[in-house]
Amino acid sequence: MAILVNKNTRLIVQGLTGHEGLFHAAQMQEYGTIIVAGVSPGKGGTWEMQGKIPIFDSVRMAVEATGANSSIIFVPARAAPDAIYEAAEAGVKLVVCITEGIPVLEMLRVSAFLKTKNTLLVGPNSPGIISPGIAKVGIIPAQIITRGSIGIISRSGTLTYEMLNALNSALLGVSTCVGIGGDPIIGSTYIDLLPLFEDDADTEMVIMIGEIGGSDEERAAEYISNKMTKPVVAFIAGRSSPPGKRMGHAGAIIEGGTGTAASKIQALENAGVKVARHPEEVVELILRGTTTEN
Amino acid sequence: MAILVNKNTRLIVQGLTGHEGLFHAAQMQEYGTIIVAGVSPGKGGTWEMQGKIPIFDSVRMAVEATGANSSIIFVPARAAPDAIYEAAEAGVKLVVCITEGIPVLEMLRVSAFLKTKNTLLVGPNSPGIISPGIAKVGIIPAQIITRGSIGIISRSGTLTYEMLNALNSALLGVSTCVGIGGDPIIGSTYIDLLPLFEDDADTEMVIMIGEIGGSDEERAAEYISNKMTKPVVAFIAGRSSPPGKRMGHAGAIIEGGTGTAASKIQALENAGVKVARHPEEVVELILRGTTTEN
Amino acid sequence: MKLHEYQAKHIFSRFDIPVPKGKIANTAAEARQIASELGGNVIIKAQVLVGGRGLAGGIRLAKNPNEAGTLAATILGMEIKGLPVHRVLVDEAASIKEELYLGITIDRIEQCPIFMASSTGGVNIEEVAQTAPQKIVKVLINPLLGLRDYQARELAAGIDLPRDQWKIFTQIATSLWNIFTSNDATLVEINPLVLTKDKTLLALDGKITIDDNALPLHPDLAEMRDLDAEVPEEIEARKYGLTYIKMDGSIGCMVNGAGLAMATMDIIKLHYGEPANFLDIGGGANADRVSAAMRIILQDPSVKSILINIFGGITRCDEVARGILSAINDIKPSLPIIIRLAGTNANEGMKLLADKNLTTADTLVEAAKKAVMAAHGDQDGDPG
Amino acid sequence: MKLHEYQAKHIFSRFDIPVPKGKIANTAAEARQIASELGGNVIIKAQVLVGGRGLAGGIRLAKNPNEAGTLAATILGMEIKGLPVHRVLVDEAASIKEELYLGITIDRIEQCPIFMASSTGGVNIEEVAQTAPQKIVKVLINPLLGLRDYQARELAAGIDLPRDQWKIFTQIATSLWNIFTSNDATLVEINPLVLTKDKTLLALDGKITIDDNALPLHPDLAEMRDLDAEVPEEIEARKYGLTYIKMDGSIGCMVNGAGLAMATMDIIKLHYGEPANFLDIGGGANADRVSAAMRIILQDPSVKSILINIFGGITRCDEVARGILSAINDIKPSLPIIIRLAGTNANEGMKLLADKNLTTADTLVEAAKKAVMAAHGDQDGDPG
């Protein structure tokens, strides 16, 4: 049935009337995602997308009118924390935040607030989620993926596409791919999503794509070691990055000794995870695994 | 076994080295309460109360060293919110705040914070809790109470003593008496404590002492009507108070139409609660009730 | 503590909430001068801390400076609900298209600040709340997050505010929130918030109530207290840490604790007496405070008897008894005093009073009965 | 964005954290003058945005104004880790009894600000964290509540600070917290915080790092950026919305996305090449940005070949291809360029490049191999 995003997804697009919002809403709808409403404050009562999608002034109104259960955020960084609070307070269960550039202190407050709510946040600075052949909530290019049994969790954007492309070339399919975002403070991390894949009947194995900075991969390794029965293959970007340098992603900073590629790879290998040296090698590891072990 | 305060209570006194703290700590100890520590920042390592009670710099240190599960706060209003946060973060399960004069916006923050914690706050501006013959955590004069089967929940201080005195004169005893405090924003209200009395084997009936202002009594009435099997008798102070006047307690304000004595009495009587016109009449109602109904 | 309209508007202005141009006047001449500076077309508003100024004639429109002077003179000579008018606010008159309401107070049940807006402003909002609750839009604010923009927009949408006003409305709501929190208010309110004919939002009238418990943190606000607008006895009481509220009856009350004080008043009424005041001497009251309390009670000429009801907890009854004796010694009151002491050191207290020819009582009911009898002229205070 | 020590101390001072008296000097003469104003006994500190100034001789004590002038001249002539010293801070020398550490940063796992203190200040705190972690006391801060006094006291107790210093320590910690939040910092740090011989606390050195994402909200801070202290290519890159970091190798990289850029560098290294830079052109990169990116890469004389790896999502490969062609047309680079396009409009992009005599690759591995070969002198870029 895939995780997070499926046929039951009823999606609100926050910021639908913007340039990006309109473009990606069309893409998502074309892919089969059920978009039920847009939210653009001050434009409530208008219609978009060939006059078929109603626009509301607030998420609460949109939820009340349409029974939406998920939302995707395309608003500017300045307004994005507000958009997350609004969606969570309106009872939206899954919020995917594409926006990048949210200050980290704002995200700390958002994150503390969400601990008191029953809302799962994916992102910010996330490319979104796709359950191939079923629905997509985000901006991941759909043409490079086919449906299959591999779950993917990734902190990166284009690196994820690279991986999806490599899988596709090898005729390997994906159950759900989740881009958790490259920022230092994000809503869902590996350990929030690994259990969902572990429980998902459609998923047989998981690919983790990580990068230097933070300790989320190390914590994931601990979780995998203790709880996961399905095989996990990983790739960690940044083996060749010098410590102390900021590599574009706010997340990709090596903090004195911790958060290095070496530390993450070590932790994952200790947990029985095969770690590839480049994206295409992930495919090799999977193919080797499925031929020798099955 | 009485509620909240009993033989398992292991008490920290926050602000023990102050004038009030020392006086009431001695009274509580004399009554049989197990005081395990005092907290007075900057005085850690000293000893008080005939050199038998250790003083710590922080609640966390006190909890770690003594296994305390309850605390009582005697610090000035300016420092009291901090004292509550500190106790809750240190894992203290019951916090009784005697301090009066905490600004209401501070208490709103405290209250929002406590929703995320497993700590029960009683007060502020509370006279505390007494389980007669077992232990007391607060400043209620113990000589006016004997052990029995009546539970008391009161928003008032001296009015509670008046009630306890009247019960004592009629040879009626008390299981536990909880002063929830007279401020507009308090940690525990009637509906937090009524279920505890309902479940307490030592308690056969409950007296509610309320006053004008707010809607806590009305909410209690609803709860009593739906959930309580034990009989409840009530007294509401402020029948003769003019609307719009502030009667000393920040709580005792009548807010345009709601929160009047009449509204509270009506709600309670509709819920089957007998409402007395003065404290001594509570005793009469109880005696009449126990002779005719039992 | 309530602030005057002009004080509230001064704070609004500091937080960038648009208010009409205006100034405070202490005399008719000043009002005339201000009106002339503002172009003549002004509104003169009595500055008193009670509602219903308009109905009482305390708010008048003037077409020119002369009329402003005349009207100001009239208003400055008025008493509104017993309060003399010492100052008037002279504001530029606004061209009103719609009158809205915007306010923040505290929802005690939800334990949150609550933001309220209504399209029917300019009237008593409590009345609207009772007669047409659907006309008030409410939004609860998480005290740890504060007002968020989307909540301000929910209010704007809820009162059908024209969309071109949403941005400025959100700014005003945010400012009002900042006023609420940074001044430890328990109420801030713009009523009416008007939409003018040239499509701007303007705060025509405002109320701010500061949490008394927070006043020590805000010396600037504490200084704004208008002692002229208060009953002198209440000011005197506050000086001694007492809470005194004047009422209309003949039995003076002195009690420790607000709840017990109210219960004492209730029981007086139950026995067909009328309390002359509410007076809470607080916890741990010492002799000085008791003395002050008695002096304050006796300043009211309606008082015919005094009921002192003390239940000792922190407060020690012997200390209170000493205060009573010292006060009686100083003041030598000629009216009957009924005293009931209970709790901590009650016996010691009663002993101190025993040979002083004062009326004592064992229970509250007995004390109330005796006080009512005494007020009715039965000088020894025995119940009939 | 990192602030200089003198900028950090200026902010400390505004938030009432005690700092030594001192001023910034651009010349030896200014330093001499400041030293004379401060009484002669001063410390001269190079203002560069790298660690290890002390070891490099960038921090010196002077006994009198003349010595201060001489030392300042020396330091102003230095380069520290490749950065020229343009300014020195001349501070009154302090009489140090103990050196402490106090700082706030972000705990990514707990998703909270974390306050840290240590009794072993004045040294590299990361080293202490690794070699003697028990010497660092840590307190997590609830971002919705902020630092509470009891938490500041926990830090004070944890580093065995004398009790008579707790109150001022709590004030300093509170100020530091206010600096952290009101400036959207990701790091603020006083190191060392010294206890002087006359028993006062003094911030001898400080670091503040501002969240780049928050800089638009803080124009005052954005103005503090010291362009002199940065690599010119990085400044140029920021102007075009690119992220460029200079490295030591010979293969210039241009990639969209930070993760993919790092993976591209990794794969170059895996094939025994050395990347000359990290360069992320971001999402939706247009022709202008691609042009700028290529110019910046070519400014590095060590670059022997360029690898362009674009995976189109939001970014359209045909647009990137046009940027590449326009850049090549402008700059006419003489070194080999290996291009790999995939994803959105990759075919269209490849078609545009097909007849331009550029080396293309289908996969990342293939592209990396070709770039490494080309850098090693195999001009047509075919893998050996």
Side-chain angles (χ1 to χ4, degrees):
Chain A
M1 180 59 180
I3 70 165
L4 297 175
V5 164
N6 54 41
K7 282 287 169 219
N8 298 325
T9 298
R10 295 177 62 79
L11 187 71
I12 290 171
V13 180
Q14 294 181 253
L16 185 140
T17 57
H19 179 72
E20 256 198 278
L22 274 176
F23 176 77
H24 290 291
Q27 300 265 308
M28 288 188 279
Q29 195 178 49
E30 198 187 326
Y31 198 70
T33 311
I34 301 168
I35 298 179
V36 294
V39 170
S40 291
K43 296 196 178 154
T46 62
W47 295 76
E48 287 287 352
M49 304 176 78
Q50 291 83 45
K52 285 179 188 151
I53 304 295
I55 305 298
F56 295 87
D57 284 319
S58 76
V59 177
R60 197 169 50 74
M61 292 177 203
V63 168
E64 280 168 11
T66 66
N69 54 21
S70 306
S71 95
I72 183 164
I73 294 174
F74 283 108
V75 306
R78 197 184 38 76
D82 215 58
I84 299 171
Y85 290 125
E86 182 178 3
E89 283 287 10
V92 173
K93 296 284 170 256
L94 171 70
V95 177
V96 177
C97 186
I98 306 298
T99 308
E100 63 177 318
I102 302 178
V104 65
L105 290 190
E106 281 282 4
M107 275 312 299
L108 291 177
R109 289 182 205 110
V110 168
S111 153
F113 167 77
L114 287 179
K115 280 180 192 142
T116 67
K117 293 283 159 186
N118 189 19
T119 293
L120 189 80
L121 172 68
V122 170
N125 196 7
S126 151
I129 306 169
I130 186 165
S131 296
I134 303 178
K136 88 166 182 172
V137 174
I139 63 174
I140 296 173
Q143 65 274 18
I144 52 173
I145 328 179
T146 51
R147 180 132 201 90
S149 61
I150 300 174
I152 301 179
I153 313 173
S154 172
R155 277 170 68 185
S156 182
T158 48
L159 176 55
T160 312
Y161 310 162
E162 184 76 52
M163 178 66 67
L164 290 166
N165 195 49
L167 291 171
N168 202 33
S169 304
L171 304 177
L172 292 170
V174 170
S175 56
T176 301
C177 172
V178 187
I180 56 177
D183 279 0
I185 303 297
I186 50 176
S188 305
T189 65
Y190 301 108
I191 57 164
D192 299 306
L193 301 175
L194 284 168
L196 304 187
F197 279 127
E198 174 73 10
D199 292 345
D200 176 39
D202 282 8
T203 302
E204 284 171 23
M205 64 172 303
V206 179
I207 298 175
M208 261 180 67
I209 304 173
E211 59 185 46
I212 52 173
S215 319
D216 285 346
E217 290 82 358
E218 286 87 337
R219 282 180 93 203
E222 201 186 319
Y223 181 86
I224 291 165
S225 169
N226 295 330
K227 300 281 177 69
M228 288 289 287
T229 61
K230 297 180 182 175
V232 179
V233 177
F235 170 69
I236 304 294
R239 287 174 192 245
S240 63
S241 300
K245 281 283 188 185
R246 186 175 259 261
M247 291 290 173
H249 273 183
I253 306 167
I254 309 187
E255 298 127 325
T258 71
T260 61
S263 136
K264 291 173 190 301
I265 291 165
Q266 184 71 63
L268 287 165
E269 287 184 340
N270 288 349
V273 175
K274 288 177 192 157
V275 184
R277 292 170 303 165
H278 57 86
E280 286 170 43
E281 198 180 47
V282 171
V283 174
E284 290 165 32
L285 290 174
I286 291 172
L287 292 175
R288 211 180 307 152
T290 48
T291 47
T292 58
E293 290 176 20
N294 289 18
Chain B
M1 180 60 178
I3 70 164
L4 297 176
V5 164
N6 54 39
K7 282 288 168 218
N8 298 326
T9 297
R10 295 177 63 79
L11 188 70
I12 291 171
V13 180
Q14 293 180 253
L16 186 139
T17 57
H19 179 72
E20 258 198 276
L22 274 175
F23 176 77
H24 290 291
Q27 300 265 308
M28 288 188 279
Q29 196 179 48
E30 198 187 326
Y31 198 71
T33 312
I34 301 167
I35 298 179
V36 295
V39 171
S40 291
K43 297 195 176 154
T46 63
W47 295 76
E48 287 288 351
M49 303 177 77
Q50 290 82 48
K52 284 178 187 150
I53 304 295
I55 305 299
F56 295 87
D57 283 319
S58 76
V59 177
R60 198 168 49 75
M61 293 177 202
V63 168
E64 280 170 9
T66 68
N69 54 21
S70 306
S71 94
I72 183 163
I73 293 174
F74 284 108
V75 307
R78 197 185 36 76
D82 215 58
I84 300 171
Y85 290 125
E86 182 178 3
E89 283 287 12
V92 173
K93 294 286 170 255
L94 171 70
V95 177
V96 177
C97 185
I98 306 299
T99 309
E100 64 176 318
I102 302 178
V104 64
L105 290 190
E106 281 281 3
M107 276 311 300
L108 292 177
R109 288 180 205 112
V110 167
S111 154
F113 168 75
L114 287 179
K115 279 179 192 144
T116 66
K117 293 283 159 185
N118 189 19
T119 293
L120 189 79
L121 172 67
V122 170
N125 196 7
S126 152
I129 307 169
I130 186 165
S131 297
I134 303 177
K136 87 165 184 173
V137 175
I139 61 173
I140 297 173
Q143 65 274 17
I144 52 172
I145 328 179
T146 51
R147 179 133 204 91
S149 60
I150 301 174
I152 301 179
I153 312 172
S154 172
R155 275 170 69 184
S156 183
T158 48
L159 176 55
T160 312
Y161 309 164
E162 185 76 51
M163 179 65 69
L164 291 167
N165 195 49
L167 291 171
N168 202 32
S169 305
L171 305 177
L172 292 169
V174 170
S175 56
T176 301
C177 171
V178 187
I180 56 177
D183 280 0
I185 303 296
I186 50 177
S188 305
T189 66
Y190 302 108
I191 57 163
D192 298 307
L193 301 175
L194 284 168
L196 304 187
F197 278 127
E198 175 74 9
D199 292 345
D200 176 38
D202 282 8
T203 301
E204 285 170 21
M205 63 172 303
V206 179
I207 298 175
M208 260 180 67
I209 304 173
E211 59 185 46
I212 52 174
S215 319
D216 284 345
E217 290 82 358
E218 286 87 336
R219 281 180 93 203
E222 201 186 320
Y223 181 85
I224 291 165
S225 170
N226 294 332
K227 300 281 176 70
M228 287 288 287
T229 62
K230 296 180 183 175
V232 179
V233 177
F235 170 69
I236 305 293
R239 286 174 192 246
S240 63
S241 301
K245 281 284 186 183
R246 185 174 260 260
M247 292 289 172
H249 271 182
I253 307 167
I254 310 187
E255 298 128 326
T258 72
T260 61
S263 135
K264 291 173 190 302
I265 291 165
Q266 185 71 62
L268 287 165
E269 287 183 340
N270 288 351
V273 174
K274 289 178 192 156
V275 184
R277 292 168 305 164
H278 58 86
E280 286 169 42
E281 200 180 45
V282 170
V283 173
E284 290 165 33
L285 291 174
I286 291 173
L287 291 175
R288 212 181 304 153
T290 46
T291 48
T292 58
E293 290 175 19
N294 288 19
Chain C
M1 183 185 98
K2 286 180 183 175
L3 299 188
H4 279 296
E5 177 192 5
Y6 75 93
Q7 295 168 324
K9 279 177 166 170
H10 182 70
I11 293 175
F12 287 174
S13 192
R14 269 202 291 129
F15 281 79
D16 297 324
I17 295 178
V19 295
K21 276 183 208 158
K23 271 188 192 165
I24 199 80
N26 294 292
T27 65
E30 278 176 30
R32 193 179 184 289
Q33 171 61 26
I34 295 164
S36 131
E37 283 166 23
L38 293 175
N41 207 5
V42 296
I43 184 162
I44 319 274
K45 306 172 87 175
Q47 298 298 291
V48 283
L49 291 175
V50 288
R53 292 176 300 170
L55 286 176
I59 301 180
R60 305 285 296 272
L61 267 165
K63 292 260 174 299
N64 54 58
N66 277 339
E67 196 183 347
T70 315
L71 288 172
T74 312
I75 295 174
L76 284 165
M78 291 171 67
E79 267 199 1
I80 298 179
K81 296 191 184 168
L83 292 173
V85 180
H86 295 293
R87 278 176 297 271
V88 292
L89 176 62
V90 184
D91 263 2
E92 195 174 49
S95 66
I96 299 170
K97 185 159 169 266
E98 278 181 59
E99 294 191 304
L100 314 170
Y101 171 91
L102 185 64
I104 317 172
T105 185
I106 287 159
D107 185 320
R108 290 172 58 162
I109 289 291
E110 298 297 334
Q111 302 202 323
C112 278
I114 183 166
F115 229 114
M116 292 178 292
S118 175
S119 54
T120 57
V123 295
N124 187 335
I125 198 71
E126 281 88 5
E127 247 178 67
V128 178
Q130 292 203 308
T131 57
Q134 78 287 355
K135 287 197 173 161
I136 300 183
V137 191
K138 295 175 180 177
V139 172
L140 290 171
I141 310 298
N142 181 327
L144 299 178
L145 289 182
L147 174 76
R148 308 293 318 184
D149 282 1
Y150 80 88
Q151 296 176 309
R153 292 192 302 258
E154 274 193 17
L155 293 170
I159 62 172
D160 286 324
L161 190 72
R163 290 210 158 85
D164 55 3
Q165 298 294 326
W166 283 25
K167 205 176 155 194
I168 175 76
F169 179 88
T170 299
Q171 285 166 7
I172 290 174
T174 303
S175 292
L176 205 63
W177 172 255
N178 291 337
I179 289 170
F180 185 76
T181 55
S182 64
N183 293 292
D184 269 297
T186 53
L187 173 78
V188 294
E189 178 172 284
I190 308 177
N191 188 22
L193 172 67
V194 301
L195 186 58
T196 62
K197 285 178 186 152
D198 49 347
K199 297 198 175 175
T200 58
L201 287 169
L202 203 58
L204 271 209
D205 197 352
K207 262 192 203 148
I208 298 182
T209 306
I210 308 294
D211 182 354
D212 286 336
N213 283 338
L215 277 178
L217 306 172
H218 303 281
D220 53 322
L221 295 172
E223 267 179 28
M224 287 189 188
R225 190 187 286 280
D226 180 6
L227 297 180
D228 292 348
E230 295 185 48
V231 182
E233 289 84 353
E234 294 181 8
I235 302 171
E236 175 80 1
R238 196 166 48 234
K239 230 180 343 191
Y240 286 91
L242 310 167
T243 310
Y244 172 90
I245 296 167
K246 170 104 183 62
M247 297 179 66
D248 297 329
S250 59
I251 300 170
C253 301
M254 185 195 306
V255 188
N256 65 329
L260 188 58
M262 286 191 283
T264 303
M265 290 158 68
D266 293 349
I267 213 165
I268 286 172
K269 204 138 183 176
L270 201 62
H271 292 92
Y272 309 104
E274 289 292 337
N277 64 274
F278 167 96
L279 198 162
D280 173 11
I281 60 168
N286 59 18
D288 272 6
R289 267 210 252 176
V290 174
S291 254
M294 190 169 297
R295 274 201 312 277
I296 290 165
I297 292 174
L298 288 169
Q299 276 166 28
D300 178 357
S302 318
V303 170
K304 299 283 180 271
S305 71
I306 298 180
L307 194 168
I308 301 177
N309 181 28
I310 304 296
F311 208 111
I314 306 180
T315 308
R316 286 163 44 201
C317 289
D318 53 336
E319 178 87 5
V320 173
R322 270 185 214 99
I324 294 170
L325 292 176
S326 135
I328 289 175
N329 200 37
D330 280 8
I331 308 167
K332 307 210 185 347
S334 57
L335 43 74
I337 299 177
I338 293 86
I339 302 173
R340 186 266 183 147
L341 303 178
T344 310
N345 295 3
N347 289 340
E348 291 86 332
M350 287 307 238
K351 255 178 237 161
L352 286 169
L353 300 174
D355 46 345
K356 299 296 170 185
N357 203 21
L358 293 159
T359 308
T360 57
D362 285 338
T363 69
L364 180 46
V365 169
E366 185 195 332
K369 283 180 183 168
K370 285 181 173 174
V372 172
M373 298 308 286
H376 288 161
D378 188 350
Q379 284 291 337
D380 71 352
D382 263 327
Chain D
M1 182 185 98
K2 287 181 184 175
L3 299 188
H4 278 297
E5 176 192 6
Y6 76 93
Q7 295 168 324
K9 279 177 165 170
H10 182 71
I11 294 175
F12 288 172
S13 192
R14 271 202 290 127
F15 281 78
D16 297 323
I17 295 178
V19 295
K21 276 184 208 156
K23 272 188 191 166
I24 200 80
N26 294 293
T27 64
E30 279 176 27
R32 192 178 184 290
Q33 170 62 24
I34 295 164
S36 136
E37 285 165 21
L38 293 175
N41 207 3
V42 295
I43 183 161
I44 319 273
K45 307 171 86 176
Q47 299 297 291
V48 282
L49 292 175
V50 288
R53 292 176 301 170
L55 285 176
I59 301 180
R60 304 285 295 270
L61 267 166
K63 292 260 175 297
N64 56 58
N66 276 341
E67 197 182 347
T70 315
L71 288 173
T74 313
I75 295 174
L76 284 166
M78 291 171 66
E79 267 198 4
I80 298 180
K81 295 190 183 166
L83 292 172
V85 180
H86 295 292
R87 277 177 296 272
V88 292
L89 176 63
V90 184
D91 264 0
E92 196 174 48
S95 66
I96 299 168
K97 187 159 168 265
E98 278 180 58
E99 293 190 305
L100 313 170
Y101 171 91
L102 185 64
I104 316 171
T105 186
I106 287 159
D107 185 320
R108 290 172 57 161
I109 287 292
E110 299 296 334
Q111 303 202 321
C112 278
I114 183 167
F115 229 114
M116 292 179 292
S118 175
S119 55
T120 57
V123 295
N124 187 335
I125 198 69
E126 281 88 5
E127 245 179 68
V128 178
Q130 292 203 309
T131 57
Q134 77 287 355
K135 287 196 173 162
I136 300 183
V137 191
K138 295 176 182 177
V139 172
L140 289 172
I141 309 299
N142 181 326
L144 299 179
L145 289 182
L147 175 76
R148 309 292 318 184
D149 281 2
Y150 81 88
Q151 296 176 308
R153 292 193 302 259
E154 273 192 18
L155 293 170
I159 61 172
D160 286 323
L161 190 71
R163 291 210 156 85
D164 56 4
Q165 298 294 326
W166 283 24
K167 205 176 153 191
I168 175 76
F169 178 87
T170 300
Q171 286 165 8
I172 290 173
T174 304
S175 292
L176 205 64
W177 172 255
N178 291 337
I179 290 170
F180 185 75
T181 55
S182 64
N183 293 293
D184 270 298
T186 53
L187 172 79
V188 294
E189 162 174 298
I190 308 177
N191 187 20
L193 172 67
V194 301
L195 185 59
T196 63
K197 286 179 185 150
D198 49 348
K199 295 199 175 173
T200 57
L201 287 170
L202 202 59
L204 272 209
D205 197 352
K207 262 191 203 152
I208 297 181
T209 306
I210 308 295
D211 182 354
D212 286 336
N213 282 339
L215 276 178
L217 306 172
H218 304 281
D220 53 323
L221 295 172
E223 268 179 27
M224 288 189 188
R225 190 187 286 278
D226 180 6
L227 297 180
D228 290 348
E230 296 184 49
V231 181
E233 288 85 354
E234 294 181 8
I235 302 170
E236 174 82 2
R238 197 167 46 236
K239 232 183 336 195
Y240 286 91
L242 311 168
T243 310
Y244 172 90
I245 297 166
K246 168 108 184 59
M247 296 178 66
D248 298 328
S250 59
I251 301 171
C253 301
M254 185 195 310
V255 188
N256 65 329
L260 188 58
M262 286 191 283
T264 304
M265 290 158 68
D266 292 350
I267 214 166
I268 287 172
K269 204 138 184 177
L270 201 62
H271 292 92
Y272 309 104
E274 289 292 337
N277 64 275
F278 167 97
L279 198 162
D280 173 12
I281 60 167
N286 58 21
D288 272 5
R289 267 211 251 175
V290 173
S291 252
M294 191 170 295
R295 275 200 312 276
I296 290 166
I297 291 174
L298 288 170
Q299 276 165 29
D300 178 357
S302 319
V303 169
K304 299 282 179 271
S305 70
I306 298 180
L307 192 169
I308 300 177
N309 181 28
I310 302 296
F311 207 111
I314 306 181
T315 309
R316 286 162 45 199
C317 290
D318 54 336
E319 178 86 7
V320 173
R322 269 184 215 100
I324 294 169
L325 291 176
S326 135
I328 288 175
N329 200 36
D330 281 7
I331 306 166
K332 308 207 183 352
S334 57
L335 43 76
I337 298 176
I338 294 86
I339 303 173
R340 185 264 184 150
L341 303 178
T344 309
N345 295 2
N347 290 339
E348 291 85 333
M350 288 304 239
K351 254 178 237 161
L352 286 169
L353 300 174
D355 45 346
K356 299 294 170 186
N357 203 22
L358 293 161
T359 309
T360 58
D362 285 337
T363 70
L364 181 47
V365 169
E366 184 195 333
K369 282 181 184 167
K370 285 181 173 172
V372 172
M373 297 308 285
H376 288 162
D378 188 350
Q379 284 290 337
D380 71 353
D382 264 327

